[in-house]
Amino acid sequence: GRGRQLIFLTGPNSGGKTSSSTGAQHAQILFQAGGYVPAKKAKMTIADHVYNQVVEPNDLLDEEGGLGSQLRRSKEILFGCSPHSFIVVDDLNEATTFEEKMEITGDILYGFLHKGPSTIYVSHLYQLAQKFQERGIGDFLQVEFNGTRPTYRIVPGISTRSHADLVAKRIGIDDNSIS
């Protein structure tokens, strides 16, 4: 079904959030093209538009910098979508403070709720997911981890860890490597 759907997908780095959400978009496109949908079971409807918003390199012509580019893309999607659209947003507003990111991203997500498309918001911003959960708005999924390793399964819930420290250590940016 379509309309007023918002899914928060949270979880640590390297857990498969972006790959899973991109896979959902690919499945939607395959379905609409009459192709094979890689799923045991799927209930899908036709989307009039399939949008994807990811953090992109700055547009040198944008006087507002990277944040301006991101906000323009958000506006383009918000004003172009309908209740029959499918949107994946992979974190928004990276070039701002935590408080501003919470406010601006929340406003954009409420805009999507008002317009009614099916939206997946992929993020480490668990505080925003919790804020929506407190208001009874949205569905909340997380990538599953077994200790410090991803299982690549999607399970109910909101993840409050990013495991950025583990990623930095694996890459060699930690106290032992730098000092």
Side-chain angles (χ1 to χ4, degrees), residues 25 48-56 69-92 108-109 111-121:
Q25 282 191 307
D48 60 359
H49 290 92
V50 178
Y51 294 101
N52 189 11
Q53 181 170 2
V54 297
V55 176
E56 298 175 6
S69 296
Q70 289 178 40
L71 292 175
R72 279 184 180 65
R73 178 66 177 147
S74 296
K75 181 181 174 184
E76 175 185 300
I77 294 170
L78 181 59
F79 286 91
C81 72
S82 79
H84 300 287
S85 298
F86 179 41
I87 301 168
V88 171
V89 179
D90 197 339
D91 239 334
L92 284 174
I108 292 167
L109 293 176
F112 289 148
L113 281 168
H114 177 73
K115 293 282 297 254
S118 294
T119 305
I120 299 174
Y121 179 58

